[in-house]
Each structure stands twice: as structure tokens, then as C-alpha cells.
Amino acid sequence: MELDLLWLILAIAAGSYIIVYAFVRRVNEWYHVSKLGEKRHFLPPGDMGWPFLGNMPSFLRAYRSNNPETFIDSIVERYGRTGVYKTHLFGNPSIIVSSPQTCRRVLMDDEKFGLGYGKSMTRLAGKNTFVNIAKSEHRRLRKMMTSLMISHEALVMYIGNIEDVAIASLEEWAAASKDEPIEFFCETSKLSLKFIMRILFGSTSDSIFSSVEKHYIDVHDGVHSTAINLPGFAFHKALKARKMLVKILQKVVDERKAMKKNGEQTAKRGMIDLMMEIEDESGKKLQDEDIVDLLIVLLLGAHDGPTHTIIWATIYLYGHPQILQKAKEEQEEIIKTQPSSQKGLSLQEIKQMEYLSKNNAAEPGSFIPFGGGSRRCLGIDVAKIEVSIFLHYFLLNYKLEQLNPESPIVYLPTTRPSDNCPARVIKLK
């Protein structure tokens, strides 16, 4: 009899949970959808999740797993392969687009699809960046920043900075992995942060790396969280970290200005030096606040892409020995044709790495790591140079002695360079 009572209680509890679960989620959906009036009839399938949290719990659970695509897969399984779904993520009602054709249309049609970012991103990016400015100001700022991203002078300057980091990091990995394998994901994450730091600040980046790193990590976490400004939440911590970053970066700007005034110069200049020099068509320069905001956004936007690209490119190459050999031969041929007096790679040589830069031909819109249209990432050339330089020195001077397939790479909602994170464990020699 006691057993029957226990089962009855469990059944009632389970039934109550199901009823409350369905009711609460249905009320949350009604709350958001009813605001649209007659437009609600045009919404795609999907659901708005829990009140306030939306679908973030299931999104983060999938993102932290070995199969992050399960979040989308579950939506497709429930609502069919429509390619467009409604949901609620990062504190905002959202539409997920998953078909190549629709992705391309959204990115290319600025008239029908306006710019939109989550609350966390808009608060943490800064008011003077691409995220928060009007279209006219966006065009002005984009035109100014383009010269810092694609001009021959700028790219040549970045190459030397990137090479310094790649060579030093590979030497450190090789030395460290003599004793025990290293965690490839963690080390590559640190490498990418060092890349962007050296690109932004030049040869003085090492002196401010540790002070920037900690606060950058907290801001990065906040961007990928719900905008809850209460103690104990990632967003609250990120806002405090951003204030500290602003102080650190403003100090760097002041130091560079003082050096320029005194006729001094760092051993190797960075993008920050170019930011202080560029002018728009009317001769107007960027203000200090503009520069600091842009530095923070560049730190946030230029880190994850190279990290994952380097990891997957390396694993792909070692999973296909013939392709690995051809890629290595291409790098050897570049070295053979270099003048004996030349130190390091030239921009022209990087552009000659045609085999290294190949992917399978993808359907237009199905592979868009750098966005598209007027919002296409300005740093695409810099990112490609980072990956190419790393692979060049890696292929010529090192090889994987050990690659542990039992320790899989996972996509995390943040890339925290200082954390112990799951990764493929490797040894170099």
C-alpha cells in the first residue's frame, strides 16, 4: 500500500510538472507573440521557451556539448525543415535562419533586414562602435577602418607582429609538450588572443597582455550571457570588467600620444597607432573614446574565428596525410624561392599559398564565417593571414607526435584562454 501511495505521489508530481511546464511556456509565448498584432500570423514555427530565460538553457547545454548542432537539430525535428524558426535567445525574441538562400538574403538586403544585436552586446560594445551607430555614421566609420584592415601598408605591418607570436608560441608548445601533452584548444585560444593583442598594440602588447586578458575574458563571457545586471551574473561582472578595460586602454592611448609628441616610437607599431592617424573625408579624426570602444570590439570580434579555424585546419590536415604532404610541399617551395637576405614571410608569399587556403566548394550562403553584405567582417584578410602564418611555420618545423581522439574538441559559449577547457591533447616534435 505504501508503494502504491509513493507511485501515486510521483505520478501527481510528474503530471503537475508537465501541466505547469506547458502552461508557463504557453503563457510566455502568448506574451511575446500578442505584441505583434496581426503580424503574428506571419511568424514561422518555433517556441519562445521559458519566461525571461527563453531557450537559453537548451541552447547553452547544446553549445557546451560535443555536438553543438543538436540545438538546431532538435528544432528541425520538432517543426520540420522550414529553414526559419522563432525562438528567444540572449534576452530577445529572435528568428533563427538556417537555409543558405535565406541567410544570404538577410545579409544582403539592408532595407528589409535592419541591424540588431542582443542587449548584452549593445551594452558592452560601446556607443561609438559598429554595433550601436546609425547607418550614415556606420558607413563613415567603416570607410575609415577599411584602410586599417586591407591596405598593403597595414597588412605588411601586421605580418611581422603575427610572425613573432606564431614562432614564439610554437617554440613554447614544443618545449612544454616534451614533458606532457598540451591541450590544443586552450593553447590555440591563448595564441589567438596574443595575435590580436600584437596586431592592435605592436611590440608593447606583452607588457599589457596579462592586465587586458583577465578583463577581456569577463567581458567576452558577458557578451554571451543574458543581460542581468545583478551581482553574481556574468553580465554584471562584464560591465565592471569593461570599465577596467577602458581605463587600461585609455592609458595606452595616452602613452602613444605622448610618445608621438616627443618624437618617440615603439619598436613595432600596431593598429592603435594607425587609428590615431586616420581621418575621414572632412579631415575629422577618431576621438579617444572612439578608439577605446573600437579596441574592445576588435578584441571581442577577432579572437574566436582564428582559434577554431587553426584547430580544425590542423586536425583536418592530420586526418588526411596526402593533403598534409601537399600543403607542406607548397610551404617548402615558398621558402626555396625566398631571397637569402629576406627575413620572414612577405604579403605576396602569403597570397601564393593557394593550396593551403582551399575548402570544398560550398553552396552560396552555406559557409559565411565572416558575414556578408554591408556587415561583412572587415578583418577577413587579417584573420586569413593569422591562420596562414601559423600553418606555415607549423608545417615546416613541427609535427604532431600525439593526437588523442578520446579528448574531443567542444564548442564553448565563450573561449576563455586561462581556463582548463576540454581539448584535443597533442604533443609536438
Side-chain angles (χ1 to χ4, degrees):
M1 184 173 180
E2 292 181 357
L3 186 61
D4 291 340
L5 180 61
L6 177 61
W7 279 111
L8 178 61
I9 293 173
L10 290 175
I12 292 173
S16 300
Y17 173 80
I18 293 172
I19 292 173
V20 171
Y21 174 87
F23 175 75
V24 171
R25 290 172 71 96
R26 182 60 62 88
V27 169
N28 185 53
E29 175 130 351
W30 172 83
Y31 171 76
H32 289 290
V33 172
S34 62
K35 294 180 179 180
L36 298 175
E38 291 301 314
K39 292 182 180 179
R40 69 183 185 276
H41 300 300
F42 300 98
L43 285 175
D47 77 271
M48 308 304 289
W50 294 96
F52 194 67
L53 295 175
N55 287 306
M56 284 300 292
S58 56
F59 174 79
L60 292 175
R61 189 164 53 249
Y63 208 33
R64 289 183 174 128
S65 73
N66 292 341
N67 300 294
E69 67 276 6
T70 56
F71 178 74
I72 296 294
D73 291 343
S74 64
I75 295 177
V76 173
E77 184 177 346
R78 289 173 63 190
Y79 300 106
R81 197 171 292 278
T82 63
V84 184
Y85 310 92
K86 67 175 180 284
T87 186
H88 194 287
L89 295 172
F90 298 103
N92 292 285
S94 307
I95 297 294
I96 293 178
V97 178
S98 60
S99 69
Q101 299 85 356
T102 312
C103 285
R104 182 175 176 81
R105 182 185 174 193
V106 169
L107 290 170
M108 301 302 292
D109 193 340
D110 289 340
E111 295 300 321
K112 293 184 179 179
F113 298 97
L115 175 66
Y117 290 95
K119 295 177 183 177
S120 299
M121 184 62 176
T122 55
R123 290 281 301 277
L124 292 169
K127 65 180 182 180
N128 302 304
T129 60
F130 297 105
V131 174
N132 289 316
I133 55 179
K135 279 188 177 181
S136 58
E137 185 63 16
H138 183 277
R139 285 193 291 269
R140 169 185 170 268
L141 186 58
R142 186 179 178 89
K143 191 170 183 179
M144 293 176 73
M145 291 299 293
T146 297
S147 63
L148 309 187
M149 298 290 187
I150 66 173
S151 72
H152 184 272
E153 176 192 2
L155 293 178
V156 168
M157 182 176 74
Y158 304 150
I159 287 173
N161 290 328
I162 294 168
E163 280 186 306
D164 291 344
V165 173
I167 293 170
S169 295
L170 282 166
E171 289 175 352
E172 291 172 6
W173 293 4
S177 64
K178 287 180 180 178
D179 299 322
E180 60 181 359
I182 63 172
E183 292 182 335
F184 196 24
F185 183 91
C186 297
E187 295 301 324
T188 307
S189 181
K190 293 177 185 177
L191 170 74
S192 293
L193 186 55
K194 289 179 180 178
F195 275 156
I196 186 58
M197 288 282 289
R198 186 62 71 90
I199 289 169
L200 293 178
F201 305 112
S203 56
T204 61
S205 67
D206 294 340
S207 62
I208 63 171
F209 180 83
S210 58
S211 59
V212 168
E213 181 186 22
K214 178 183 181 298
H215 302 301
Y216 158 78
I217 292 169
D218 290 336
V219 174
H220 193 288
D221 283 358
V223 168
H224 294 83
S225 69
T226 303
I228 305 174
N229 189 14
L230 293 173
F233 287 89
F235 182 71
H236 177 79
K237 189 176 182 180
L239 288 174
K240 295 173 66 176
R242 190 185 191 282
K243 290 181 180 179
M244 295 302 298
L245 265 185
V246 168
K247 290 181 180 179
I248 294 169
L249 298 177
Q250 183 60 56
K251 183 180 178 182
V252 177
V253 171
D254 293 339
E255 290 173 351
R256 293 298 171 95
K257 283 188 171 181
M259 291 176 67
K260 186 175 182 180
K261 185 177 180 180
N262 296 329
E264 302 173 11
Q265 186 173 305
T266 58
K268 286 191 176 181
R269 283 160 40 100
M271 189 183 293
I272 186 173
D273 299 292
L274 302 182
M275 283 183 179
M276 293 189 291
E277 297 171 358
I278 57 172
E279 300 177 348
D280 63 13
E281 294 175 344
S282 62
K284 184 179 178 181
K285 291 188 175 183
L286 293 172
Q287 300 298 310
D288 287 2
E289 188 178 7
D290 300 330
I291 294 173
V292 170
D293 281 352
L294 285 167
L295 290 172
I296 292 175
V297 166
L298 289 170
L299 281 169
L300 291 170
H303 176 236
D304 289 0
T307 298
H308 294 296
T309 304
I310 287 172
I311 290 170
W312 284 114
T314 305
I315 291 172
Y316 180 84
L317 287 169
Y318 270 81
H320 300 79
Q322 292 182 339
I323 296 176
L324 173 66
Q325 183 59 34
K326 288 182 179 179
K328 186 176 180 179
E329 289 172 356
E330 180 182 62
Q331 303 309 306
E332 291 171 339
E333 190 61 32
I334 288 174
I335 292 297
K336 289 178 182 177
T337 59
Q338 278 185 345
S340 58
S341 59
Q342 179 177 323
K343 293 184 178 180
L345 289 164
S346 68
L347 181 59
Q348 184 60 34
E349 288 167 342
I350 293 173
K351 291 180 178 180
Q352 290 172 1
M353 299 177 186
E354 296 180 358
Y355 187 79
L356 192 65
S357 63
K358 286 184 177 179
N359 290 319
N360 293 329
E363 181 182 352
S366 63
F367 183 68
I368 44 177
F370 297 100
S374 64
R375 304 291 173 175
R376 186 171 183 261
C377 177
L378 286 175
I380 179 171
D381 291 327
V382 179
K384 288 181 177 179
I385 288 173
E386 289 178 25
V387 176
S388 298
I389 288 176
F390 171 84
L391 291 175
H392 170 80
Y393 287 102
F394 175 76
L395 291 171
L396 287 178
N397 304 302
Y398 302 91
K399 68 177 181 179
L400 293 183
E401 186 179 48
Q402 175 184 336
L403 178 64
N404 183 4
E406 300 302 321
S407 182
I409 288 177
V410 296
Y411 282 96
L412 303 177
T414 58
T415 305
R416 299 177 60 89
S418 295
D419 280 2
N420 292 321
C421 47
R424 284 186 182 264
V425 180
I426 67 166
K427 291 193 74 172
L428 296 184
K429 70 173 184 179

